[in-house]
């Protein structure tokens, strides 16, 4: 109510200014005709005249009255002279601009952020980081309407005090020019004539100065950070990449593609965790488990019965064969053929310009212009009492198993824990999944967690959400886990325990400590928006730098790290995290991009939700996979996509259409207008768009259409 009242009052004052032709008071002709009278008032009562003038200036600036501030500034020079005119105008204009800023913020900011918050997130982050810098640059150019700056900046998160002092400082140069012009009022023909093309160009150069100064300051900081280290006269290579996992391989590939000399160092196995212990073997395991589940569901497909006999050791051996089949893509031979020098050894960063490598044949030091750390992450084993006594499987050593555990405890309800819990249950293990949080998959919406938990329980998995693992013990030859739930203790006997409670970045053992390269609170290497560490020629990307621990984001970050490392002196690129998809490969799969309902509510982002259940989709029904849904979040009243969650068969494939749509800013109307092959699961995306369109049908136009068709029938 207060906002509406203030908005009405401000609008009324502005309308009154126009309606009563008060703009005539703020013209050059009016100023010239009243200059002698104003001067007389000033001579008789200088302090009162100055106060009245300042008050009028504050009001016209606060209300953003068109043209008034310019003429008022000229009046300041004409009446008060250069010095006092500058003082009065400088403070009055800054106060008025701040009032306009506060008015716009109070009336508009909440609504704008609620409606466009997700789109403005990058802007808000940039303002929080560099708002004073950009505001100062804008204030230096008088040709940019100051009222527009007041309004637009008010919609961001810039602090009021910052806005005030930056405005006062930034507008000072333009104030002096106009006040000085006012001292020569008789020579001015129009207010716009004050700014000659040469003067506008000068101000533009002045506005560019902060950017130039910033580059210079960045260069100075870089020089200072590196000053303690001797720079070689000649380098062995342009880039050293430490780690040949998903991020490191992409770094090396890109560097070689642009003809840089690159050395790739890997101490264990090419391909890193994704190839050897993560994505590839786990998906091979999931495929075998899914076949078994389909055979158990044969009756649903009209088949009287289907049976399978298997040896768990053969299934695990198949995973190794899959790794061997994919390995040539990540091999030394392939990358050597691309022009990458691959070194199998253990790296230590000695200086920002040198990396020591210990190999089977000896130690070697490589001089390099830049370094990219892509060391990845390892499974986190929580410090639970007794865990060392019972032994612990992780995603790294799991693949050594050749005998199926009869009773398996899975610690963790995240993606890895859920995928492997379902796999082992389908192979025949009695699986108990223990999750400390209230539900599985806490990053997803509650309805997603519920659907997956119900599916798990239907397949025989004992899901214990809200249970905290307190201690392990060996009791009479049996392995036992004690959990706590709502103050009560629960005893669970098991044969093996799989720990899947997260991963931690590999930040030790290769020289970060000696170089004082910081690790942030999340345990990853502290990098800036360009993926630089505190030493500007050492970069980090992938799991070791966060914030997302996915193979595809590691590859995404690798592009930025490599390009900035090789070409940063010419141009640097901020890493873009705006459209990041991911998928948990349970059955059904859970895929997401952008916001979900939980995050939107937590951030206070206004949204609409469109839900399309897959039990309505022809192909899902035919395949016997009529479960799950497509959930799309859009801006209120618009088809712009804020986020999508898909739960169902091949959700990881279906999400790609929405990823492309969000990246290219394509709305649901365009998806609805795109032909999808029938019958396919991909039609679910079109049907979801159709549900949105149906909810936003133009009721008024349809009523007129109904009348028209009735009239046409006679």
């Amino acid at each position: 109510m207060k906002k509406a009242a203030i908005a009405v009052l401000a609008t009324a004052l502005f309308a009154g200014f126009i309606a009563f032709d008060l703009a005539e008071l703020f013209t050059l002709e009016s100023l010239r005709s009243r200059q002698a009278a104003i001067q007389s008032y000033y001579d008789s009562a200088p302090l009162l005249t100055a106060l009245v003038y300042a008050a009028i200036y504050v009001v016209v600036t606060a209300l953003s009255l068109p043209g008034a501030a310019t003429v008022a500034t000229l009046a300041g020079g004409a009446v008060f002279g250069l010095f006092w005119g500058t003082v009065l105008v400088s403070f009055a204009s800054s106060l008025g601009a701040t009032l306009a800023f506060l008015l716009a913020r109070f009336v508009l900011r909440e609504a704008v952020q609620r409606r466009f918050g997700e789109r403005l997130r990058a802007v808000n982050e940039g303002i929080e980081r560099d708002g004073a810098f950009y505001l100062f640059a804008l204030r230096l150019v008088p040709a940019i309407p100051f009222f527009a700056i007041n309004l637009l900046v008010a919609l961001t998160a810039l602090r009021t005090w910052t806005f005030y002092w930056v405005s006062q400082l930034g507008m000072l140069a333009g104030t002096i020019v106009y006040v000085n012009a006012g001292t020569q009022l008789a020579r001015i023909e129009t207010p716009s004539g004050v700014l000659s093309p040469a003067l506008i160009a000068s101000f533009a150069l002045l506005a560019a100065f902060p950017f130039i100064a910033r580059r210079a300051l960045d260069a100075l900081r870089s020089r200072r950070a590196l000053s303690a280290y001797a720079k070689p006269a000649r380098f062995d290579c342009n880039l050293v990449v430490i780690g040949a996992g998903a991020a490191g391989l992409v770094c090396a590939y890109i560097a070689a593609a642009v003809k840089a000399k690159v050395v790739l160092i890997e101490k264990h196995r090419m391909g890193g965790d994704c190839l050897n212990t993560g994505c590839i073997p786990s998906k091979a395991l999931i495929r075998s488990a899914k076949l078994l589940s389909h055979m158990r569901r044969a009756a649903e497909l009209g088949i009287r019965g289907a049976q399978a006999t298997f040896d768990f050791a053969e299934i695990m051996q198949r995973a190794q064969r899959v790794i061997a089949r994919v390995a040539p893509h990540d091999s030394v031979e392939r990358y050597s053929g691309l022009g990458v020098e691959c070194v199998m050894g253990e790296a230590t960063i000695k200086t920002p310009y040198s990396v020591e490598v210990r190999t089977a044949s000896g130690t070697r030091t490589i001089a390099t212009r830049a370094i990219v750390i892509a060391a990845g992450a390892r499974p986190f084993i929580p410090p639970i009492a007794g865990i060392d006594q019972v032994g612990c499987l992780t995603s790294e050593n799991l693949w050594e198993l050749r005998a199926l555990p009869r009773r398996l405890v899975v610690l963790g309800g995240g993606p890895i824990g859920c995928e492997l819990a379902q796999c082992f249950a389908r192979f025949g293990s009695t699986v108990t999944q223990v999750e400390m949080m209230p539900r599985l998959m806490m990053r997803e919406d509650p309805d997603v967690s519920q659907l997956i938990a119900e599916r798990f329980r239907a397949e025989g998995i004992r899901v214990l959400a809200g249970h905290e693992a307190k201690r392990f013990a060996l009791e009479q030859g049996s392995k036992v886990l004690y959990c706590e739930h709502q103050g009560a203790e629960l005893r669970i006997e098991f044969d093996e325990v799989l720990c899947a409670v997260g991963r931690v970045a590999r930040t030790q053992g290769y020289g970060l400590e000696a170089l004082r390269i910081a690790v942030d609170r999340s345990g990853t290497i502290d990098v800036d928006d360009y993926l630089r560490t505190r030493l500007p020629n050492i970069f980090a990307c992938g799991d070791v730098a966060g914030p997302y621990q996915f193979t595809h984001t590691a590859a995404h970050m690798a592009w930025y790290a490599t390009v900035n490392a090789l070409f940063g002196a010419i141009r640097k690129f901020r890493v873009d995290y705006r459209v990041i998809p991911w998928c948990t490969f349970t059955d059904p799969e859970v895929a997401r991009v952008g916001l979900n309902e939980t995050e939107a509510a937590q951030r206070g982002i206004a949204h609409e939700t469109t839900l399309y259940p897959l039990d309505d989709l022809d192909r899902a029904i035919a395949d016997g996979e009529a479960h799950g849904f497509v959930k799309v979040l859009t801006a209120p009243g618009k088809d712009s996509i804020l986020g999508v969650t898909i739960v169902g068969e091949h959700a990881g494939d279906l999400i790609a259409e929405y990823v492309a749509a969000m990246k290219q800013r394509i709305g649901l109307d365009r998806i609805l207008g795109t032909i999808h092959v029938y019958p396919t699961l991909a039609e679910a995306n079109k049907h979801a768009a159709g549900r949105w369109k149906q909810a936003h049908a133009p009721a008024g136009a349809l009523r007129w259409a109904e009348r028209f068709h009735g009239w046409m029938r006679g």
Side-chain angles (χ1 to χ4, degrees):
M1 199 66 184
K2 289 182 180 179
K3 292 181 181 180
I6 291 175
V8 169
L9 178 61
T11 303
L13 290 172
F14 188 90
F17 179 81
I18 302 298
F20 292 103
D21 206 19
L22 297 179
E24 285 296 318
L25 298 175
F26 294 93
T27 62
L28 276 178
E29 293 74 15
S30 176
L31 176 58
R32 289 193 182 109
S33 66
R34 291 177 171 80
Q35 183 178 2
I38 297 172
Q39 188 66 50
S40 175
Y41 293 144
Y42 176 60
D43 292 338
S44 60
L47 181 59
L48 180 61
T49 306
L51 290 174
V52 171
Y53 169 80
I56 293 173
Y57 200 111
V58 168
V59 171
V60 299
T61 309
L63 293 176
S64 303
L65 301 179
T70 301
V71 174
T73 305
L74 294 173
V79 176
F80 303 104
L82 179 59
F83 177 77
W84 287 112
T86 299
V87 171
L88 287 169
V89 171
S90 178
F91 283 96
S93 62
S94 299
L95 286 171
T98 304
L99 286 175
F101 166 88
L102 291 172
L103 178 64
R105 169 166 287 184
F106 181 73
V107 174
L108 298 174
R109 181 171 181 262
E110 184 179 339
V112 170
Q113 289 290 340
R114 185 169 58 248
R115 184 160 188 172
F116 304 104
E118 186 60 22
R119 291 186 179 182
L120 292 173
R121 183 170 56 167
V123 174
N124 289 332
E125 290 172 354
I127 289 293
E128 185 176 350
R129 182 180 56 245
D130 296 317
F133 175 82
Y134 290 117
L135 177 60
F136 182 70
L138 289 171
R139 289 301 197 195
L140 284 171
V141 185
I144 300 176
F146 284 176
F147 75 88
I149 299 173
N150 301 338
L151 174 62
L152 293 175
V153 176
L155 303 180
T156 72
L158 189 71
R159 292 194 308 165
T160 304
W161 170 245
T162 302
F163 177 87
Y164 172 79
W165 73 259
V166 171
S167 295
Q168 178 131 11
L169 187 62
M171 292 190 293
L172 185 59
T175 297
I176 293 172
V177 168
Y178 273 91
V179 171
N180 183 62
T183 63
Q184 309 294 323
L185 187 63
R187 300 180 184 179
I188 300 173
E189 295 181 3
T190 63
S192 59
V194 173
L195 293 178
S196 64
L199 193 57
I200 292 174
S202 298
F203 274 117
L205 289 174
L206 188 61
F209 174 76
F211 293 91
I212 298 170
R214 188 177 190 180
R215 289 295 296 269
L217 183 61
D218 189 46
L220 181 63
R221 287 173 178 166
S222 298
R223 182 182 292 273
R224 183 177 298 171
L226 296 171
S227 62
Y229 306 96
K231 185 176 181 179
R234 183 176 177 81
F235 297 95
D236 300 318
C237 63
N238 301 95
L239 186 66
V240 164
V241 180
I242 298 175
L249 290 171
V250 173
C251 287
Y253 183 97
I254 293 171
V258 297
K259 306 305 178 183
K261 184 171 176 53
V262 56
V263 178
L264 176 62
I265 303 171
E266 172 55 51
K267 72 174 182 178
H268 194 201
R269 290 180 289 186
M270 294 286 286
D273 294 335
C274 181
L275 171 63
N276 298 291
T277 62
C279 310
I280 299 304
S282 67
K283 301 312 165 283
L285 204 65
I286 287 170
R287 181 67 184 93
S288 297
K290 192 167 188 176
L291 175 60
L292 290 174
S293 75
H294 283 174
M295 296 183 74
R296 294 187 185 107
R297 295 170 51 201
E300 297 177 19
L301 304 178
I303 299 170
R304 289 183 179 178
Q307 294 181 344
T309 59
F310 68 92
D311 186 330
F312 182 73
E314 291 178 3
I315 288 175
M316 296 300 278
Q317 196 56 44
R318 175 184 177 268
Q320 296 304 313
R321 291 197 301 272
V322 171
I323 292 172
R325 177 80 179 272
V326 177
H329 301 166
D330 301 341
S331 64
V332 169
E333 292 76 17
R334 183 194 177 205
Y335 277 80
S336 296
L338 293 171
V340 177
E341 182 183 351
C342 300
V343 179
M344 301 305 295
E346 191 168 347
T348 301
I349 306 172
K350 291 296 186 180
T351 76
Y353 303 112
S354 64
V355 178
E356 182 183 274
V357 190
R358 294 177 295 283
T359 67
S361 58
T363 301
R364 169 189 174 191
T365 300
I366 304 169
T368 178
R369 289 196 65 88
I371 300 166
V372 173
I373 302 168
R378 58 176 174 79
F380 172 65
I381 299 178
I384 302 173
I387 196 168
D388 294 336
Q389 298 177 32
V390 300
C392 182
L393 296 173
T394 69
S395 58
E396 284 190 343
N397 61 12
L398 169 71
W399 311 107
E400 300 168 8
L401 274 183
R402 291 299 179 267
L404 180 69
R406 185 170 63 88
R407 298 169 301 178
L408 177 69
V409 165
V410 177
L411 291 183
I416 297 174
C418 286
E419 289 177 4
L420 293 176
Q422 189 175 40
C423 275
F424 277 88
R426 288 177 167 184
F427 289 135
S429 293
T430 299
V431 177
T432 301
Q433 188 172 15
V434 178
E435 168 56 50
M436 183 171 64
M437 301 302 287
R439 54 187 175 86
L440 302 180
M441 295 188 181
M442 278 297 294
R443 296 184 68 178
E444 310 300 339
D445 282 332
D447 55 351
V448 176
S449 300
Q450 182 179 348
L451 192 154
I452 295 299
E454 288 174 356
R455 181 63 175 265
F456 279 16
R457 292 187 176 104
E459 294 190 14
I461 299 173
R462 186 185 184 191
V463 178
L464 300 179
H467 287 66
E468 183 179 0
K470 302 298 289 186
R471 59 189 174 91
F472 290 92
L474 289 173
E475 297 178 356
Q476 299 177 347
S478 295
K479 298 177 181 180
V480 179
L481 167 64
Y482 287 94
C483 296
E484 184 179 298
H485 175 62
Q486 296 179 352
E489 189 175 74
L490 177 67
R491 184 178 183 273
I492 305 168
E493 289 192 10
F494 64 92
D495 298 305
E496 297 286 354
V497 58
L498 171 63
C499 189
V501 293
R503 295 171 63 79
V504 293
R506 292 189 175 99
T507 59
Q508 297 179 335
Y510 48 89
L512 298 189
E513 300 86 355
L515 295 173
R516 294 185 295 111
I517 292 177
V519 174
D520 63 23
R521 287 181 297 178
S522 66
T524 57
I525 294 176
D526 192 13
V527 294
D528 64 10
D529 292 341
Y530 306 101
L531 300 180
R532 298 179 299 185
T533 66
R534 79 166 193 91
L535 296 170
N537 68 328
I538 299 181
F539 297 75
C541 62
D543 288 2
V544 78
Y548 299 96
Q549 292 188 334
F550 306 125
T551 296
H552 47 281
T553 51
H556 176 71
M557 294 170 71
W559 183 91
Y560 290 92
T562 307
V563 171
N564 288 334
L566 296 175
F567 302 107
I570 301 170
R571 184 185 174 187
K572 298 187 293 293
F573 296 86
R574 283 192 173 93
V575 63
D576 182 2
Y577 296 119
R578 286 176 298 176
V579 183
I580 301 292
W582 63 80
C583 181
T584 301
F585 294 93
T586 48
D587 183 10
E589 293 178 0
V590 178
R592 178 150 76 91
V593 61
L595 290 173
N596 62 11
E597 289 183 292
T598 303
E599 289 178 345
Q602 289 172 347
R603 297 183 192 177
I605 297 173
H607 63 280
E608 294 179 0
T609 301
T610 300
L611 190 73
Y612 175 71
L614 293 179
D615 61 7
D616 182 66
L617 185 67
D618 294 356
R619 180 58 185 270
I621 295 170
D623 286 352
E625 302 293 350
H627 47 256
F629 53 79
V630 177
K631 184 195 295 186
V632 185
L633 269 64
T634 51
K638 296 189 175 183
D639 73 334
S640 55
I641 302 168
L642 301 178
V644 181
T645 299
I646 302 178
V647 182
E649 186 80 351
H650 292 295
D653 300 314
L654 298 180
I655 201 75
E657 183 171 18
Y658 286 111
V659 176
M662 290 181 68
K663 184 70 174 178
Q664 303 303 324
R665 301 190 184 281
I666 295 171
L668 291 180
D669 266 332
R670 294 281 188 90
I671 291 177
L672 182 60
T674 301
I675 298 173
H676 293 66
V677 174
Y678 178 87
T680 60
L681 295 174
E683 279 192 301
N685 294 340
K686 182 171 183 174
H687 289 319
R691 289 274 176 110
W692 176 88
K693 191 70 173 180
Q694 186 178 18
H696 293 81
L702 290 176
R703 283 194 296 270
W704 280 105
E706 184 179 13
R707 293 174 184 173
F708 169 76
H709 291 307
W711 175 75
M712 290 293 289
R713 292 193 301 270

